[in-house]
DNA sequence: TCACGTGTTTCGTTAATCCG
DNA sequence: CGGATTAACGAAACACGTGA
């Protein structure tokens, strides 16, 4: 059996897009008779007339209509595959959708400046923020996710990573909460009732382990899937929320909430960007990574300069002032 | 192994024809 | 008249045998 003639693919794409031999010929820089002969070859190869006479014009057959989108996608992919990779990246015309998987905390803090930075440089690029149901390299591998942002897990070994910033947990309560009427000591903190965030619904975390070292135990009365949910509950109750400090630095952080340093030591949270090595050399993806890193650097600069940010010399303090 | 000659195939062109 | 198709033809690529 003969291999299909792949040279016919761009001609088929042009014919289905134009619906006309003359139009397709013009598009590919050929004479209409040459395109007519190519159409004849396509008809023989596919076994369908593809375009048939309807009065003075040609109309596509149902099979041609069914093929149109597939052929167009294929033709574009073939063009991309065979295009030299070292051609300069043209951000002004870059037409692409990037899917970024991140938790609500990251989206809340970084999505606005990231979208602004992306649109400023590449107006035809679209960003799709996908929820982060689990740590799973599958979507990175199969291409459903371009960039995964979060804490490194037991990821596939081939996945590339880059540290974006370091974070740490802080406590958050409503204004006027009795916990902040005196220094937040481990016993006073443990005596309060808490709301925590867990995607898997777990009730125990590093804070509980640190408290246990001191012989203390806190009472968790609510587990929610996202940090905004925890903040909402803290705002309307006496529950103490546990959220990353980056959430507190968000401009949208409610004024009637106060954050405070935890009275126990907890491990830092290293937030990283992760991507599949398949995209390592992709110029557009590299630009996206650089943009994400730059936005994170700029957005966390202000936060880093505030007391209590990881790596900064600081004492426990109640936030919300100023 | 390589260069060369020759026949075949492919795919383009122009010009003519057909069709609505 | 505009657009599709076909016939005739040519250039380039390809396949293959041959000889150095």
């Amino acid at each position: 059996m003969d291999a299909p003639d792949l040279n016919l693919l761009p001609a088929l794409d042009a014919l289905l897009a134009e619906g006309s031999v003359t139009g397709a010929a013009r598009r590919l820089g050929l004479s209409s008779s040459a395109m007519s002969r190519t159409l004849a070859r396509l008809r023989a190869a596919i076994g369908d007339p593809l375009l048939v006479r309807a009065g003075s014009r040609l109309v596509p057959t149902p099979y041609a209509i069914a093929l149109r989108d597939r052929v167009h996608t294929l033709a574009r992919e073939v063009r991309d595959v065979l295009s030299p990779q070292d051609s300069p990246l043209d951000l002004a015309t870059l037409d692409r959708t990037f899917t970024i998987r991140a938790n609500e905390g990251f989206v809340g803090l970084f999505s606005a400046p990231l979208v602004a930075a992306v649109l400023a440089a590449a107006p035809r690029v679209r960003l799709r923020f996908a929820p982060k149901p689990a740590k799973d390299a599958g979507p990175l591998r199969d291409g459903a996710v371009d960039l995964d942002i979060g804490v490194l897990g037991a990821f596939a070994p081939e996945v590339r990573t880059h540290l974006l910033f370091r974070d740490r947990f802080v406590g958050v309560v409503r204004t006027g909460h009795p916990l902040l009427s005196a220094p937040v000591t481990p016993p006073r903190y443990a005596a309060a009732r808490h709301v925590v965030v867990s995607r898997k619904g777990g009730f125990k975390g590093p804070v509980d382990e640190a408290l246990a070292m001191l012989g203390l135990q806190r009472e968790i009365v609510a587990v929610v899937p996202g940090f905004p949910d925890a903040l909402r509950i803290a705002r309307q109750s006496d529950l103490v929320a546990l959220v990353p400090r980056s959430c507190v630095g968000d401009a949208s952080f409610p004024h009637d909430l106060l954050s405070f340093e935890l009275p126990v030591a907890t491990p830092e949270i290293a937030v990283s960007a992760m991507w599949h090595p398949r995209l390592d050399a992709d110029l557009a993806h590299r630009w996206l990574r650089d943009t994400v890193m730059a936005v994170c650097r700029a957005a966390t600069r202000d936060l880093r300069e505030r007391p209590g940010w990881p790596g900064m010399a600081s004492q426990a303090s109640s936030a919300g002032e100023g």
Side-chain angles (χ1 to χ4, degrees):
Chain A
M1 182 182 143
D2 288 344
D5 182 358
L6 296 183
N7 292 316
L8 295 174
L9 188 61
L12 179 59
D13 183 34
L15 282 164
L16 296 181
E18 297 281 340
S20 145
V21 169
T22 305
R26 198 161 34 230
R27 183 186 279 214
L28 297 188
L30 297 174
S31 65
S32 62
S33 60
M35 186 54 69
S36 180
R37 291 192 50 159
T38 301
L39 176 56
R41 272 183 275 136
L42 280 163
R43 285 167 170 159
I46 295 175
D48 185 273
L50 296 171
L51 297 171
V52 295
R53 287 279 185 126
S56 64
R57 300 196 52 77
L58 292 178
V59 293
T61 63
Y63 187 63
I65 293 171
L67 278 184
R68 189 155 48 198
D69 288 348
R70 266 176 72 200
V71 167
H72 181 65
T73 302
L74 275 172
R76 197 179 56 192
E77 288 195 7
V78 166
R79 228 177 6 253
D80 289 348
V81 164
L82 297 180
S83 297
Q85 263 300 290
D86 56 358
S87 62
L89 178 65
D90 185 3
L91 291 175
T93 60
L94 179 63
D95 187 354
R96 191 155 153 183
T97 299
F98 291 107
T99 299
I100 299 175
R101 188 171 66 168
N103 64 30
E104 318 82 356
F106 181 90
V107 174
L109 187 59
F110 297 103
S111 60
L114 184 56
V115 167
V118 164
L119 287 184
R124 294 176 67 182
V125 163
R126 296 162 298 278
L127 290 184
R128 175 172 164 266
F129 290 95
K132 201 171 169 63
K135 291 189 173 79
D136 174 16
L140 281 181
R141 280 180 171 152
D142 62 26
V145 167
D146 295 297
L147 200 61
D148 199 337
I149 290 169
V151 177
L152 295 179
F155 251 70
E158 78 272 18
V159 166
R160 302 276 197 269
T161 67
H162 186 278
L163 177 68
L164 292 176
F165 60 91
R166 294 181 188 280
D167 205 346
R168 70 155 53 141
F169 280 111
V170 295
V172 172
V173 294
R174 64 167 175 81
T175 52
H177 194 287
L179 182 62
L180 296 187
S181 61
V184 182
T185 61
R188 292 191 67 238
Y189 176 76
R193 306 174 90 198
H194 298 262
V195 52
V196 298
V197 176
S198 171
R199 276 191 297 273
K200 293 176 184 168
F203 276 71
K204 296 291 182 186
V207 171
D208 301 280
E209 291 168 14
L211 288 173
M213 300 278 281
L214 302 172
L216 297 168
Q217 188 178 353
R218 63 174 176 169
E219 185 186 1
I220 294 172
V221 300
V223 176
V224 292
F227 298 118
D229 308 314
L231 292 177
R232 206 173 301 119
I233 289 175
R235 195 177 179 186
Q236 297 172 21
S237 71
D238 276 350
L239 296 188
V240 180
L242 186 70
V243 302
R245 186 169 171 76
S246 55
C247 287
V248 176
D250 186 358
S252 64
F253 185 67
H255 292 305
D256 51 358
L257 284 175
L258 296 173
S259 71
F260 61 90
E261 291 298 310
L262 296 177
V264 292
T266 54
E268 281 184 359
I269 310 163
V271 179
S272 300
M274 293 157 267
W275 64 93
H276 196 270
R278 163 171 45 83
L279 295 164
D280 219 30
D282 181 81
L283 290 179
H285 193 273
R286 192 181 300 170
W287 165 78
L288 174 71
R289 298 194 306 260
D290 290 344
T291 305
V292 168
M293 289 165 198
V295 164
C296 287
R297 210 163 31 238
T300 56
R301 186 181 306 131
D302 296 341
L303 300 171
R304 277 198 302 272
E305 288 163 2
R306 295 185 189 186
W309 190 264
M312 300 299 292
S314 64
Q315 295 296 316
S317 63
S318 61
E321 61 222 354

